[in-house]
Amino acid sequence: MQLRLKTRHNIYRFLMQLLFKPSLSQWITMLALFVGILGATYLETQTKIEIQVPNRDLPAYYQIKPGDLSSKTYAQKDIPSQILKNSQELVNRYTLTKIPKQKPLTEKLVSSKIDPNRLVDTVVVGIPATPAMILGGNLQAGDTVEMTLVPTTTKAKSLPSPVVFPNILVLDVNSVSQASASSTSVVVVALPLKRQQEFASKSLGATFLLTRKL
C-alpha cells in the first residue's frame, strides 16, 4: 500500500515538473516569441511615414489645392486608419468638416473624388430639409439634384412661378437634432455664384423641393 502511494506521488511530482518547469526547447520558443513581440513593437515605434497634411486650418466644404498641403513625418503607430497619404489623393476633393492645421486626413474627413469643375464659381449654401426632401435618408454627398423654390402665395390673381436651379451638386447631408422643429437635416449644396442673389431674394418663405433623376 505504501509503495503504491509512493509511486502515485512520484508520478504526480513528475507531471507537475513537466507543467511548471518547461524544457530547454520550450524556453527557447518562449524567448523567441518575447523577442519577436519586442522587435515588432520597436519597429512600429521607430518606422516613420511621410504624408501630406494641411499647412493651415481649412474650413468645411473647402476644395483642397496643392498649396494647402505640406509634408510631415509621423511614426507608424500614430497614423490613423484609412489615411490619405499623397497629394494626388487629396487635391480637388473638398473637406466635410473644419480641418485643423497638420491633421492627417482620412476618407471620413473629405469628400469622394468628383469632377473639380463642379465646384468652380460656386458658393456653399445650407438648406433646412425634411425627411421627404432628403428622399427618406437616401440623399447623399455627391448626388446631383434639381432644386425648385416655390414662393409663398400672395393675393395676386396669378400664382408665383417656381424658380428652378438645375444640376446642383449635393456637398453633404447633415442630421440636426431639434426636438420641436419639423426640419431634421441640413442639405449643403454648391450653388452657382451667378445665381446667388436670385436665390437670396427668392428663398425667403419659399418651399424647397429637391428631385433626383433615376
Side-chain angles (χ1 to χ4, degrees):
M1 183 69 177
Q2 290 181 349
L3 179 60
R4 188 175 298 173
L5 290 174
K6 186 175 181 181
T7 301
R8 289 180 180 177
H9 177 73
N10 290 336
I11 293 174
Y12 175 79
R13 187 170 63 177
F14 176 73
L15 292 174
M16 291 299 99
Q17 288 175 345
L18 288 178
L19 290 174
F20 296 102
K21 292 185 178 180
S23 65
L24 179 61
S25 61
Q26 290 174 321
W27 274 113
I28 293 174
T29 300
M30 289 189 291
L31 181 61
L33 288 173
F34 180 71
V35 172
I37 293 172
L38 286 180
T41 303
Y42 175 79
L43 287 176
E44 185 181 46
T45 303
Q46 296 300 313
T47 301
K48 304 293 184 180
I49 294 181
E50 187 177 273
I51 64 173
Q52 295 291 306
V53 295
N55 52 33
R56 63 185 183 87
D57 294 343
L58 300 180
Y61 310 115
Y62 173 82
Q63 189 176 21
I64 301 173
K65 303 175 182 61
D68 298 320
L69 303 171
S70 58
S71 298
K72 186 174 181 180
T73 301
Y74 286 87
Q76 174 70 50
K77 65 181 182 64
D78 296 328
I79 299 297
S81 59
Q82 296 185 322
I83 190 71
L84 299 170
K85 302 176 184 178
N86 306 317
S87 59
Q88 293 87 346
E89 299 176 297
L90 292 166
V91 171
N92 290 327
R93 297 167 79 166
Y94 61 86
T95 59
L96 293 174
T97 185
K98 183 179 179 181
I99 308 295
K101 179 181 179 180
Q102 296 190 341
K103 180 179 178 65
L105 295 172
T106 64
E107 292 285 355
K108 292 183 177 180
L109 297 176
V110 297
S111 70
S112 57
K113 290 187 176 181
I114 61 170
D115 180 357
N117 294 322
R118 298 293 308 276
L119 298 177
V120 174
D121 294 329
T122 61
V123 291
V124 178
V125 174
I127 303 170
T130 62
M133 285 178 61
I134 60 173
L135 310 179
N138 292 306
L139 189 68
Q140 57 186 357
D143 286 346
T144 298
V145 297
E146 182 174 270
M147 184 169 63
T148 303
L149 274 60
V150 182
T152 54
T153 57
T154 64
K155 295 181 180 180
K157 293 182 180 180
S158 59
L159 295 176
S161 300
V163 181
V164 179
F165 296 81
N167 299 320
I168 298 297
L169 175 65
V170 176
L171 299 176
D172 203 5
V173 180
N174 289 324
S175 297
V176 178
S177 59
Q178 296 179 359
S180 60
S182 59
S183 297
T184 58
S185 301
V186 172
V187 178
V188 183
V189 300
L191 185 74
L193 181 61
K194 62 183 179 181
R195 301 196 67 182
Q196 182 180 10
Q197 291 185 352
E198 181 185 9
F199 177 86
S201 62
K202 302 290 186 180
S203 61
L204 184 62
T207 299
F208 290 88
L209 298 177
L210 298 180
T211 56
R212 184 183 64 186
K213 293 182 179 180
L214 295 175

